[in-house]
Amino acid sequence: MLITEKIDDNTARLSLDGRFDFHSHRDFRSAYDAVLARPEIHQIAIDFGRVDYLDSSALGMLLLLREKAEAGNKKVKLTNLTGSVKQVLEIANFGKLFTIE
Amino acid sequence: MTVALIAWLAPPWARVGAVIVAAMLAWYLATRHGATTSAAVAPASSAAVTDLKELTGGIVAATERECLNNQAELDRTIGLIRNASDTLLASFNNMHAHVQTQHNFALQVASKLGGNLEAGANLQFSEFIQDTSKTLDSFVDSTISTSKIAMGLVESMETIDTQVKAVQNILGEIEAISKQTNLLALNAAIEAARAGEAGRGFAVVADEVRSLSMRTNQFSSEIRHHMDEVHGSIDLAHDAILSVASMDMNFALQSKSRLQTTMARLEEMNLEMGRAIEQIDKLAEQVNLEVDSATQALQFQDITSRLSAQTNRHMEALRGIMVGMKLAVQDTEHRPPAGQKPAQSGDA
């Protein structure tokens, strides 16, 4: 999975591209660790527009990110949800845990 | 007489008619005969009167018998109609009761199968689906929380792996130092040998330093070996966690959609059941209406009874006429032939 980072004011946008599964954990963690380390960032937006597959480990990673972000007073937002990615996040009830756009 | 005999073989209504016609004929003959007797042929009159009396007596007796027979047949007909209509009424009432029972059974079946016809009906199917849906939700929840814990473990192991790598780097430093020390000790030993007797003590020190550096190198490589094992174990654990943490979520999607399909089909079945029950309801209502109108139609029994009674009365009247005729004929015997008038006889 490819991750590109873009910073707008106090929002960091991480755009994911490809399969979001167990094998992405190093890339994903290093991407969000870098963003979490920046105090001026208040919100992290994860863009799923180019993600074609999600497994349960991806959901686990998102929950871990949420925990760490909340500990640093940052919010996590999930954007561009479509197709099966959207369905999986709905079944997982992520709408109650994250802001979804 | 011949007319009366022919009439005997005819149907009852024709018989009554024939008898009346015969009576009228006899009446006409009697009055004419009386007139001719009074006018001209006096000696033949007593024979004619006797004939007429016999004829009249026969007609009156036949008519009375006919009337009695007809009355008896009418009574039997009324009895038959009454029995038939009673049986029909009982059958229709039974039919009504059966339709009601059928309707009740249909309602029971509908409520048992989970139809939404009645409030508080036992929705077993729907409950089952809801239970399954809840089970699926909790399974999804536990899968995700397992994944979350596993990914937390993976992060911790990554941290350990980073530490192991740091230790390995430090070990490289230590190894370099010990190599350097070894080299220095070797140089010192060479310098000590060149110094001869004076350098002998120094050679011993140089030798010790060399053996220390070699021991350092040995420990360092032992530590490196252990660290390599730690690294290998972390890799193994990483793979083991992969199998726990990485679950394909499609199972949940498929189960969810199957549940939704089943739910929709159940809904459809309930609707169909409702429609069927409604149909049965309507049919029962229709059957009730039919039974009501049939029961009403069965009141023809009363009307026929009344009509029969009327016919009975008509028969009675006819018998009365016959009796009157008999008396009139008897009267002609006792009257003087000159005093007879057709108008008087008509009164009887």
Side-chain angles (χ1 to χ4, degrees):
Chain A
M1 188 177 70
L2 272 172
I3 303 173
T4 38
E5 184 196 292
K6 198 183 166 202
I7 310 277
D8 277 331
D9 292 336
N10 51 16
T11 299
R13 175 172 292 268
L14 299 177
S15 301
L16 315 182
D17 187 344
R19 282 172 70 92
F20 190 6
D21 60 14
F22 187 81
H23 302 289
S24 327
H25 74 88
R26 277 193 192 103
D27 296 335
F28 187 64
R29 187 188 174 187
S30 57
Y32 75 63
D33 271 348
V35 173
L36 286 173
R38 298 169 70 152
E40 77 275 16
I41 300 291
H42 293 314
Q43 184 171 256
I44 303 164
I46 313 284
D47 188 339
F48 285 88
R50 290 171 166 275
V51 175
D52 47 31
Y53 179 81
L54 267 185
D55 73 354
S56 69
S57 63
L59 302 177
M61 287 183 247
L62 288 170
L63 290 176
L64 279 179
L65 163 63
R66 181 175 162 268
E67 252 179 33
K68 289 179 182 171
E70 275 182 355
N73 267 329
K74 293 175 170 57
K75 279 185 179 169
V76 181
K77 190 167 79 175
L78 310 180
T79 64
N80 279 329
L81 305 176
T82 49
S84 67
V85 170
K86 189 179 182 181
Q87 284 176 321
V88 168
L89 291 173
E90 272 170 3
I91 280 184
N93 265 328
F94 270 32
K96 290 180 184 165
L97 305 172
F98 294 88
T99 312
I100 287 182
E101 275 183 15
Chain B
M1 273 304 241
T2 18
V3 177
L5 277 171
I6 291 161
W8 192 258
L9 300 164
W13 58 270
R15 261 185 266 172
V16 174
V19 165
I20 291 166
V21 167
M24 298 303 274
L25 189 69
W27 186 253
Y28 173 72
L29 281 173
T31 44
R32 224 182 66 133
H33 213 73
T36 39
T37 336
S38 61
V41 211
S45 78
S46 94
V49 165
T50 316
D51 273 358
L52 187 62
K53 260 176 68 184
E54 267 175 28
L55 182 64
T56 317
I59 288 167
V60 167
T63 312
E64 278 195 316
R65 236 188 354 262
E66 272 309 302
C67 285
L68 286 174
N69 280 342
N70 281 347
Q71 279 173 327
E73 273 170 25
L74 265 177
D75 286 346
R76 259 174 61 204
T77 313
I78 290 169
L80 283 173
I81 289 173
R82 189 171 294 141
N83 276 346
S85 59
D86 284 352
T87 316
L88 277 173
L89 262 181
S91 302
F92 278 130
N93 283 336
N94 281 342
M95 197 193 285
H96 176 73
H98 289 325
V99 168
Q100 201 57 44
T101 318
Q102 188 187 17
H103 167 69
N104 288 343
F105 275 132
L107 274 182
Q108 264 178 26
V109 169
S111 66
K112 267 184 192 155
L113 285 183
N116 47 8
L117 281 174
E118 294 172 58
N122 194 8
L123 303 170
Q124 287 171 342
F125 277 155
S126 304
E127 273 174 19
F128 174 69
I129 301 280
Q130 274 165 10
D131 281 356
T132 314
S133 188
K134 271 183 203 160
T135 311
L136 176 67
D137 283 349
S138 68
F139 189 61
V140 167
D141 281 353
S142 72
T143 303
I144 294 169
S145 74
T146 304
S147 287
K148 185 191 160 195
I149 293 166
M151 294 321 288
L153 273 177
V154 167
E155 287 199 356
S156 304
M157 284 191 316
E158 292 279 307
T159 313
I160 293 170
D161 212 27
T162 316
Q163 302 293 320
V164 167
K165 272 176 193 147
V167 171
Q168 280 169 335
N169 284 340
I170 292 166
L171 281 176
E173 290 288 316
I174 291 171
E175 276 161 13
I177 291 168
S178 90
K179 209 180 263 176
Q180 197 74 21
T181 312
N182 192 26
L183 214 63
L184 282 173
L186 197 66
N187 281 339
I190 290 164
E191 290 301 320
R194 214 192 267 174
E197 196 61 30
R200 186 168 287 172
F202 191 68
V204 172
V205 173
D207 210 36
E208 279 301 308
V209 168
R210 203 174 156 226
S211 81
L212 277 175
S213 92
M214 278 166 78
R215 274 177 72 196
T216 306
N217 205 25
Q218 194 187 331
F219 281 134
S220 158
S221 68
E222 267 178 36
I223 292 170
R224 182 175 287 280
H225 176 71
H226 286 307
M227 284 299 134
D228 283 348
E229 277 190 350
V230 170
H231 181 71
S233 298
I234 285 172
D235 276 352
L236 284 177
H238 196 270
D239 290 347
I241 288 171
L242 164 70
S243 64
V244 175
S246 184
M247 276 279 254
D248 187 3
M249 293 306 286
N250 279 331
F251 81 91
L253 290 182
Q254 281 159 6
S255 304
K256 194 99 178 176
S257 83
R258 268 204 293 276
L259 274 178
Q260 279 165 347
T261 318
T262 314
M263 203 70 172
R265 276 175 63 184
L266 185 68
E267 202 78 15
E268 211 175 291
M269 263 170 63
N270 277 352
L271 277 175
E272 270 173 28
M273 188 82 70
R275 278 198 287 271
I277 299 288
E278 228 169 78
Q279 209 61 27
I280 290 175
D281 244 352
K282 274 186 191 159
L283 283 178
E285 232 167 75
Q286 269 178 353
V287 171
N288 279 348
L289 285 175
E290 301 283 347
V291 167
D292 279 353
S293 67
T295 317
Q296 269 177 1
L298 279 178
Q299 284 170 354
F300 79 89
Q301 183 221 328
D302 291 346
I303 300 163
T304 44
S305 292
R306 272 204 302 279
L307 284 174
S308 308
Q310 248 172 5
T311 315
N312 246 338
R313 275 199 300 280
H314 290 317
M315 292 290 172
E316 209 59 52
L318 192 62
R319 273 176 67 198
I321 291 167
M322 288 301 124
V323 171
M325 210 162 102
K326 206 159 86 179
L327 288 175
V329 172
Q330 277 166 5
D331 267 0
T332 53
E333 214 178 338
H334 306 294
R335 272 184 206 168
Q340 198 178 4
K341 279 177 197 164
Q344 270 182 329
S345 315
D347 280 349

